[in-house]
Structure formats: C-alpha cells, structure tokens
Amino acid sequence: MLDTIFSGIFDTALTTIIAPGHFLLCIGVSLLIGLMLCVTTLWRCNYSKSFAVTLAILPAVVCVVILMVNGNIGTGVAVAGTFNLVRFRSAPGSAREIGAIFIAMGAGLITGMGYLAYGVLFALVLGGVMMLYNTLRLGEGKNRVLFRTLHITIPEDLDYAGVFEPILDKYTSQYTLTQVKTTNMGSLFKLSYDLTLKNQGLEKSFIDQLRLRNGNLEISLCHQDTVAAGL
C-alpha cells in the first residue's frame, strides 16, 4: 500500500524509487545537522530569530532537492535557475520569509517530479518543525530585542571618524561599523553599524541625539531580523 502511495506518477522501470523510511531518515539527519550548525554558528554572536530558524531548516530543504534531482541533469539545471530567480528577484524580507519561499519551492519540486505523497509529507514535516522551533522560541534571548542595524547617510565633506562615537557609547552597549559606501554619485556616504541598545525606551532619544550632531543626516534604525533577500 505504501509503495503505491509514495510512488511517482511519472515513474518508469528505470526510475530509482525512494523508500519512505529513507526519505524521513535523510530529512531527520539534515534537521539534526541544521540544528547543530545553528548552535555552533551563532555561538556568542549577534543574530536574529528568523535567521536562526532558517539556518536550522535549510539543510533539510537542500537534502530533499538533491534527493529529487538524483542525477537528472535537466532537472538540476531547472532547479538551479529557479533558485537563482529567488536569489536575485525576491523583494526584501526577513530570513524566515526567504526560508518559507525555499520550502514552498522544495514542495513544488517534489510534486512536479510526480511524488505527490512525498510533497505532502515534506510540507507536513518542515511545517511542523518550523512551528516547533517558533514555539520553543529558537534564536530568541532576553537581549535580542535590543539588537539593531543603524544606517546613517552623511554629506561627503563630513569627516565621520569619531563623530558619532560619544553618542554610540552613551546609548549602546556595543557597536561595530560594518560598512562604509558612497551613494548619490559619490556625493554622500552611507555608514552601517551593528549595535546593541542599552535601553529600548531610549531609541527615540538616541535618534534625536544623532540628528543634533548634524542636521543633514538621513538615519535608519531597524531590527536585525530585516535583511535583504539574496544577501
């Protein structure tokens, strides 16, 4: 009975059949590896909850894609093209949203290959794991809400070295200048900081103090959960 349910509707005599037990075993080991990587990669690092959950489930998604491709060159090329579309054409979103897109693509790949029961099983397993991780609050901590990414756009003639450090020292427990790049044909500098606020209630005061330093600043302070797709 199980062989009939989990057989592909496009299977031929030359098709390699994947046993349900082997399918679940591969997903289970991949989820375990993803959880191990999540713990080790994020050890003593600043990270977002959505990134932690996505990192934990992504090995299982890749595992299923490889199982379905299984040496089929044409399918492999099509899958690579589809993932490139998600990589470069997705609108900005959180890591969780990007992870959900990859899970949906994996489920679509399975059903597209003709393995309808495996597609349902994959969606149930990965959906249940995501719900479990969210229930267990994987990636959350008491200080996670204080993590921010600060973007400051300043005029080209403003020497940013040491200008904002006194304010950052006052309102943050730690900060790192992660990027400096030019914008608007080189007439502006955009500074990016990863930081941890001392007190969430002082967020507005923090921004006001930055503006008082120079009235021509453009400031953006966002949660580290918000990332650009494909970065």
Side-chain angles (χ1 to χ4, degrees):
M1 181 64 178
L2 285 178
D3 291 341
T4 303
I5 295 176
F6 287 98
S7 62
I9 61 177
F10 304 124
D11 281 352
T12 65
L14 300 177
T15 303
T16 302
I17 306 299
I18 303 173
H22 293 162
F23 182 81
L24 289 174
L25 179 62
C26 290
I27 290 182
V29 172
S30 297
L31 287 172
L32 179 61
I33 292 173
L35 196 57
M36 292 169 54
L37 290 174
C38 179
V39 173
T40 56
T41 302
L42 305 180
W43 177 256
R44 295 186 177 180
C45 296
N46 290 350
Y47 59 89
S48 66
K49 174 186 174 181
S50 63
F51 176 74
V53 173
T54 303
L55 182 62
I57 65 172
L58 202 53
V61 179
V62 176
C63 168
V64 170
V65 170
I66 297 301
L67 282 175
M68 291 297 107
V69 172
N70 196 24
N72 189 318
I73 297 177
T75 304
V77 172
V79 169
T82 304
F83 275 82
N84 278 332
L85 286 176
V86 174
R87 168 70 167 78
F88 293 108
R89 300 298 182 186
S90 294
S94 68
R96 179 180 177 180
E97 292 168 343
I98 298 171
I101 291 174
F102 279 117
I103 291 175
M105 288 179 56
L109 169 66
I110 298 172
T111 55
M113 294 290 291
Y115 296 99
L116 307 183
Y118 279 120
V120 174
L121 182 61
F122 172 75
L124 288 174
V125 171
L126 269 294
V129 168
M130 285 194 70
M131 293 174 65
L132 176 63
Y133 286 163
N134 288 324
T135 301
L136 296 177
R137 300 184 181 277
L138 178 68
E140 285 191 5
K142 61 181 180 179
N143 294 325
R144 297 289 171 249
V145 70
L146 300 177
F147 293 164
R148 295 288 191 277
T149 297
L150 173 67
H151 301 291
I152 306 177
T153 303
I154 62 175
E156 180 189 17
D157 57 353
L158 177 62
D159 186 5
Y160 57 84
V163 172
F164 304 109
E165 275 69 6
I167 300 175
L168 292 169
D169 289 334
K170 179 180 178 181
Y171 289 95
T172 70
S173 57
Q174 65 87 26
Y175 60 89
T176 304
L177 178 61
T178 58
Q179 186 181 61
V180 178
K181 69 176 183 179
T182 59
T183 62
N184 196 28
M185 302 295 291
S187 62
L188 300 172
F189 280 120
K190 185 174 183 179
L191 316 179
S192 297
Y193 292 88
D194 284 341
L195 54 86
T196 303
L197 295 173
K198 291 182 179 178
N199 189 328
Q200 188 179 8
L202 298 178
E203 185 173 315
K204 183 179 183 303
S205 177
F206 174 47
I207 296 176
D208 290 340
Q209 288 296 317
L210 289 173
R211 289 191 180 280
L212 287 175
R213 179 66 64 176
N214 189 297
N216 296 323
L217 301 181
E218 181 180 333
I219 301 172
S220 172
L221 185 65
C222 57
H223 289 272
Q224 290 185 359
D225 253 7
T226 304
V227 296
L231 289 182

